[in-house]
């Protein structure tokens, strides 16, 4: 009973919602489905799941899903939020692939080197939007979405997705809301 009252109190405190949340994890289960449903409830537009191992995409039925492996992207329709799944595709690989594609365009004469700026570079990234917050279990800095996540808020936690609770989700939103985003300034 007290937990439910505390959850309602936290819900009323939440005013600022991240548009894009990144989750770094090794496996997903029912706990992540609850997390995604709570994101939907609060209006989060995009969730990116980064993992070094394969994610069971059957688990994500009903959501709009983008499966990203190496440069290959497979999209499946569904309801928001959009869930990007990066399985074994690191930030280094994404940047190298982008540089190679741009170099090939320059070689073919489709692009001049001086035309390459941040906006042109970002057009070739697999995940186009920058995350507002990156949630990571443990205390290592994630090696996914290096370009996009440079100004993201980092939230380190010992998260067991099978036992992840609504109150834990609300605490993450509250922590995000308390932070002053300075975008490198």
């Amino acid at each position: 009973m007290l937990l439910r009252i505390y959850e309602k109190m936290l819900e009323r405190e939440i005013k600022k919602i991240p548009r894009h949340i990144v989750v770094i994890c090794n496996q997903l289960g029912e706990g992540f489905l609850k997390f995604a449903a709570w994101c939907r409830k609060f209006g989060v537009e995009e969730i990116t799941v980064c993992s070094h191992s394969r994610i069971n995409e059957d688990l994500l039925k009903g959501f709009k899903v983008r499966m990203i492996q190496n440069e290959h992207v497979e999209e499946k329709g569904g309801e928001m939020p959009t869930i990007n799944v990066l399985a074994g595709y690191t930030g280094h690989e994404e940047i190298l692939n982008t540089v190679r594609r741009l170099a090939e365009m320059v070689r073919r004469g489709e692009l001049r080197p001086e035309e390459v700026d941040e906006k042109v570079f970002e057009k070739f990234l697999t995940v186009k939007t920058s995350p507002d917050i990156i949630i990571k279990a443990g205390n290592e800095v994630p090696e996914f979405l290096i370009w996009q996540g440079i100004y993201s808020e980092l939230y380190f936690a010992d998260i067991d997705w099978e036992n992840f609770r609504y109150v834990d989700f609300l605490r993450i939103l509250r922590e995000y809301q308390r932070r002053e985003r300075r975008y490198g300034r």
Side-chain angles (χ1 to χ4, degrees), residues 18 33 46 56 65 96-97 113 119-121 152 162 168 170:
L33 283 180
E46 191 171 6
N56 180 0
V65 177
L96 286 173
N97 287 337
K119 288 188 190 301
V120 170
F121 187 86
S152 301
E162 292 310 308
D168 301 320
L170 292 171

Side-chain angles (χ1 to χ4, degrees), residues 10 34 150:
L10 285 173
K34 290 189 282 187
I150 190 70

Side-chain angles (χ1 to χ4, degrees), residues 5-6 12 48 56 74 84 93 111 115 128 134 161:
I5 292 169
Y6 180 57
R12 284 192 296 272
T48 298
N56 180 0
E74 182 182 333
N84 302 307
E93 291 171 309
L111 186 67
E115 293 175 322
K128 307 285 187 224
I134 298 173
W161 287 104

